[in-house]
Amino acid sequence: ISDFGCSVLTASCCDDAFQIINSGARVDLVFSDVCMPDGDGLTLARLVRALSPDLPVVLTTGFTTVVEDVAQSGGVALIKPYSIERLEAMFREQLHTERDPKPPE
């Protein structure tokens, strides 16, 4: 992820992720799996939405049956498996940014 210009803050569980967001740290996008050790990404997305409605949340899952649940939680689903290019495109789409053109060789 840092390969395409993102600084990354990591959390090992739902509670830690929410604490980072709630602490006032600069967070431009939340990326999480739907399945988490201490909860789920759907709950995290709802908590994020309540705290910061404009903060993009991308939830990844291998279960296409939860795509509607992801949308209802305020997130956007990224279905597994996905390529690094698809991940980058999703982040750029959610952050409303474009890739910097490559410098001439």
Side-chain angles (χ1 to χ4, degrees):
I1 295 173
S2 60
D3 289 347
F4 47 85
C6 294
S7 297
V8 179
L9 301 172
T10 60
S12 61
C13 63
C14 187
D15 289 339
D16 289 350
F18 185 70
Q19 290 306 317
I20 290 170
I21 296 162
N22 198 35
S23 75
R26 180 170 176 204
V27 176
D28 297 319
L29 181 140
V30 174
F31 178 59
S32 175
D33 201 299
V34 169
C35 298
M36 300 174 73
D38 68 331
D40 61 70
L42 300 171
T43 300
L44 177 61
R46 287 183 195 102
L47 292 169
V48 168
R49 282 284 166 253
L51 184 66
S52 185
D54 295 329
L55 182 59
V57 177
V58 176
L59 298 178
T60 187
T61 183
F63 302 103
T64 57
T65 57
V66 300
V67 170
E68 186 175 324
D69 295 335
V70 170
Q72 289 176 354
S73 72
V76 176
L78 180 61
I79 303 300
K80 297 177 191 178
Y82 52 85
S83 66
I84 191 70
E85 293 82 12
R86 179 65 187 120
L87 177 65
E88 179 181 11
M90 176 66 79
F91 284 8
R92 292 196 182 284
E93 179 183 301
Q94 293 302 304
L95 294 170
H96 308 292
T97 61
E98 294 183 22
R99 181 182 258 297
D100 293 332
K102 289 184 178 182
E105 295 183 26

